[in-house]
Amino acid sequence: REATVAALNNLALALKEADIDRARALTEQALAECETIGDRHRTAALHNNLADILRAQGHRDEAMRHLKRAVRLFSEIGEAGTTEPEVWKLVGW
């Protein structure tokens, strides 16, 4: 199942410029599959990718919901005190 999630995500990333609607559908499919296997790191990354796609499509509120979900999941991964908040390097979106 992890290979399926990775393949769907990679295909979505490859199609993002040519067919954003298809990229969105593939990312949503990968996200649904990933949530069933419990891979929180990959789930967070997919929420982040989906946020980028939604923003590009003009769905800013929905994009922000996915971005916040990604940040929340990323913040929960790892041991306390071992991670640095990279999200603060985001200067433009």
Side-chain angles (χ1 to χ4, degrees):
R1 293 173 107 182
E2 288 118 4
T4 300
V5 170
L8 289 168
N9 182 52
N10 289 338
L11 184 56
L13 293 172
L15 289 174
K16 185 177 172 186
E17 297 300 318
D19 187 351
I20 198 162
D21 293 329
R22 181 76 174 126
R24 178 180 175 178
L26 290 167
T27 304
E28 289 171 340
Q29 184 180 350
L31 181 57
E33 181 73 21
C34 194
E35 287 177 337
T36 66
I37 60 176
D39 184 335
R40 292 174 50 198
H41 186 270
R42 198 169 277 152
T43 297
L46 287 164
H47 275 289
N48 191 68
N49 292 349
L50 186 54
D52 289 342
I53 290 169
L54 290 165
R55 182 179 177 273
Q57 290 181 315
H59 304 288
R60 296 184 71 80
D61 291 341
E62 192 176 354
M64 188 55 70
R65 282 193 298 276
H66 282 280
L67 183 60
K68 287 178 181 180
R69 179 71 175 138
V71 169
R72 187 169 40 253
L73 285 169
F74 277 130
S75 73
E76 295 170 356
I77 298 169
E79 298 176 26
T82 63
T83 57
E84 295 188 27
E86 297 293 325
V87 72
W88 307 120
K89 292 182 180 180
L90 182 64
V91 293
W93 187 50

